[in-house]
């Protein structure tokens, strides 16, 4: 049975931990608002980009850019896994890594070649245990305080450069879509060949626009930019999801610490009361013996 000093030290340690988790919860709550606004502000632009590309792609005649059609093969897959640089955010990182792991295992079972680019150290730490030889690059954003398009554009250009060099045929992006503080959905998005949604609200190919310059020239500019935009959107969604997951995790940890303090305090009081009672009995027994 632990002594009173051990119990006091344990209670003091849990209280110190509780202060840390409470502070981290408040910091995450303060950052969540800004991250959520940034993620929600990026969604209309990315969705409008998809709509424009869908309209242009519907009227393309002849050969289309490879970023739109792909190489025609599906032998080599590139998985771009976006996670956080820090932990203590519940299952946020592990859920994205698990989704990427399942996809990689399924592709390998089909005889495909899998290559992985990790954006964020936590995803790299999880995936390297099983796919160390498949990871071709780690991109860290630890020093970036606020994600901007300038951080996503080099990643997009890196993907395009590898595609033009013939390193892969299909590229898939993994990230977590923010829904609420308690709900973050691990998601995938195929970047190459581009998944262009059907042009909604249009009856066939008659409802088209005339573009200047030509559609092929516009696609050659928009498709590379669309990859950077989608990566940027994924990073913003991840930023909001990370803060929401950390806020929930730290709130749970704070409440658990409170319950532990309560139990340890009760145990301490019972031990102290038992010790006092024992000492009183010894004193009374000694007095009666005299």
């Amino acid at each position: 049975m632990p002594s009173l000093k051990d119990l006091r030290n344990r209670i003091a340690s849990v209280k110190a931990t509780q202060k840390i988790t409470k502070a981290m919860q408040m910091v995450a709550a303060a950052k969540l608002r800004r991250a959520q606004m940034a993620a929600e502000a990026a969604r209309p632009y990315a969705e409008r980009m998809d709509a424009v590309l869908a309209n242009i792609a519907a009227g393309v005649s002849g050969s289309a850019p490879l970023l739109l059609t792909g190489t025609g093969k599906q032998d080599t897959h590139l998985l771009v896994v976006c996670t956080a640089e820090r932990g203590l955010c519940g299952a946020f990182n592990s859920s994205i890594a698990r989704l990427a792991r399942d996809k990689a295992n399924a592709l390998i079972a089909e005889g495909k070649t899998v290559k992985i680019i990790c954006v964020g150290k936590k995803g790299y730490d999880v995936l390297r245990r099983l796919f160390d030889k498949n990871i071709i690059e780690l991109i860290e954003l630890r020093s970036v305080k606020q994600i901007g398009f300038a951080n996503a554009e080099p990643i997009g250009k890196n993907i395009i450069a590898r595609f033009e060099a013939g390193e892969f045929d299909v590229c898939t992006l993994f990230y977590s879509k923010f829904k609420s503080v308690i709900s973050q959905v691990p998601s995938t998005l195929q970047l190459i060949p581009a998944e262009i949604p059907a042009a909604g609200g249009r009856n066939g190919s008659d409802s088209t626009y005339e573009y200047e310059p030509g559609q092929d020239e516009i696609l050659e500019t928009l498709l590379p930019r669309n990859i950077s935009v989608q990566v940027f959107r994924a990073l913003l969604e991840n930023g909001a999801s990370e803060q929401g997951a950390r806020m929930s995790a730290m709130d749970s940890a704070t409440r658990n610490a409170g319950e532990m303090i309560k139990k340890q305090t009760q145990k301490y009081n019972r031990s102290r009361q038992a010790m006092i009672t024992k000492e009183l009995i010894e004193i009374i027994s000694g007095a009666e013996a005299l």
Side-chain angles (χ1 to χ4, degrees), residues 265-276:
T265 301
Q266 291 176 348
K267 190 174 182 180
Y268 171 81
N269 290 336
R270 283 197 297 267
S271 299
R272 184 169 177 270
Q273 186 176 4
M275 186 174 293
I276 293 173

Side-chain angles (χ1 to χ4, degrees), residues 231-244:
V231 172
F232 180 46
R233 177 187 180 183
L235 293 178
L236 291 179
E237 294 280 355
N238 262 11
S241 298
E242 178 190 356
Q243 298 304 331

Side-chain angles (χ1 to χ4, degrees), residues 52-120:
V52 172
L53 286 175
N55 182 270
I56 298 176
V60 171
S61 59
S63 60
L66 289 179
L67 291 177
L68 181 62
T69 61
T71 61
K73 301 182 296 182
Q74 293 188 350
D75 298 331
T76 306
H77 289 251
L78 176 66
L79 310 183
V80 182
V81 185
C82 299
T83 55
E85 296 288 348
R86 297 172 178 83
L88 297 177
C89 47
F92 167 73
N93 293 307
S94 59
S95 60
I96 301 174
R98 188 183 307 113
L99 184 64
R101 181 196 63 195
D102 294 342
K103 178 69 173 179
N105 287 331
L107 291 172
I108 293 174
E110 295 175 3
K112 309 294 185 182
T113 301
V114 175
K115 299 180 180 180
I116 301 175
I117 294 179
C118 294
V119 182

